[in-house]
Amino acid sequence: MSKPKVIFASTLLVFLVGCASAPKVDISGLELKASSGDPQAQNDLGSHYQFGDGVDKNFAKALMWYEKSAAQGLPLAKANLGYMYDLGLGTNEDDSKAVELYESAAEAGSARGMINLGSMYVAGTGVEKDYIKAYKWFDIARFLTQKSSDMDVKWSSRGALDELSKFMTKEQIAEGKELSKEWLSENQ
């Protein structure tokens, strides 16, 4: 069997953070809401700082706002914070911390967290390489995004699943599907 190409990394780095393509917002109003503790506003503000959308790009501020939001349990903020650690944006690169955050986000139902965690399993980054676990997370994300309007996440989960399947045996795929089915039955 040949090894997967680095297609996962290049595909996933494009979209896996919150609101990069969101319409223009009132940054001062968003800062007020974020400062008063609104976890969604904190996550959104982190995304604006990460991408320089309406503010100067500032990874340290993005990291700070993602941390505040993630501490309140917002799954997308955990996935976004994991991404910052994964790539070393505003902090030192820390694959173990990224995996921990992606896993927490995935277990809380974040499709973005699931796709990122699956990608870590494909590459063996921060975890032991495990195509079956990767398949599980990609398949759950695929299922959960069936009715999603977030086309980036929807098609990325499907593309990652299709690409990974090329490198797996039928038995491995069946095992990954079973793990996905178990997770869905316990968490739906």
Side-chain angles (χ1 to χ4, degrees):
M1 241 189 259
S2 59
K3 296 189 181 214
K5 299 174 182 140
V6 185
I7 186 170
F8 295 106
S10 61
T11 301
L12 298 175
L13 295 180
V14 173
F15 75 91
L16 288 177
V17 178
C19 64
S21 60
K24 295 292 179 200
V25 298
D26 171 23
I27 296 296
S28 60
L30 187 60
E31 285 176 335
L32 185 61
K33 287 175 71 175
S35 294
S36 63
D38 181 315
Q40 185 62 56
Q42 291 169 338
N43 181 72
D44 291 350
L45 190 55
S47 185
H48 284 280
Y49 276 112
Q50 181 180 353
F51 291 100
D53 185 14
V55 294
D56 289 336
K57 187 182 284 192
N58 185 322
F59 292 141
K61 285 186 179 181
L63 186 77
M64 177 196 71
W65 286 113
Y66 288 150
E67 286 173 338
K68 289 177 182 281
S69 182
Q72 294 190 69
L74 190 71
L76 180 56
K78 291 177 183 182
N80 290 342
L81 186 56
Y83 184 85
M84 300 294 281
Y85 280 100
D86 192 355
L87 298 183
L89 302 175
T91 186
N92 292 326
E93 189 174 315
D94 186 339
D95 295 333
S96 296
K97 182 75 171 170
V99 167
E100 175 187 320
L101 288 159
Y102 289 153
E103 188 166 31
S104 180
E107 289 291 350
S110 167
R112 292 175 190 270
M114 292 172 188
I115 295 168
N116 285 350
L117 181 59
S119 295
M120 300 296 265
Y121 277 116
V122 168
T125 306
V127 291
E128 190 171 322
K129 187 180 286 192
D130 189 328
Y131 291 171
I132 295 167
K133 287 181 181 177
Y135 191 98
K136 166 193 167 180
W137 288 114
F138 291 153
D139 193 47
I140 296 167
R142 177 207 51 82
F143 179 82
L144 294 178
T145 60
Q146 288 180 56
K147 297 178 182 174
S148 175
S149 61
D150 187 338
M151 299 310 279
D152 287 336
V153 173
K154 178 183 273 192
W155 293 112
S156 291
S157 64
R158 284 154 179 74
L161 194 59
D162 291 344
E163 187 66 25
L164 178 60
S165 295
K166 295 175 185 177
F167 303 99
M168 297 176 70
T169 65
K170 289 179 183 178
E171 293 79 15
Q172 289 174 316
I173 291 171
E175 191 174 343
K177 284 181 180 180
E178 185 59 32
L179 291 173
S180 170
K181 185 175 163 184
E182 288 172 13
W183 189 93
L184 288 166
S185 70
E186 293 170 6
N187 293 282
Q188 288 274 279

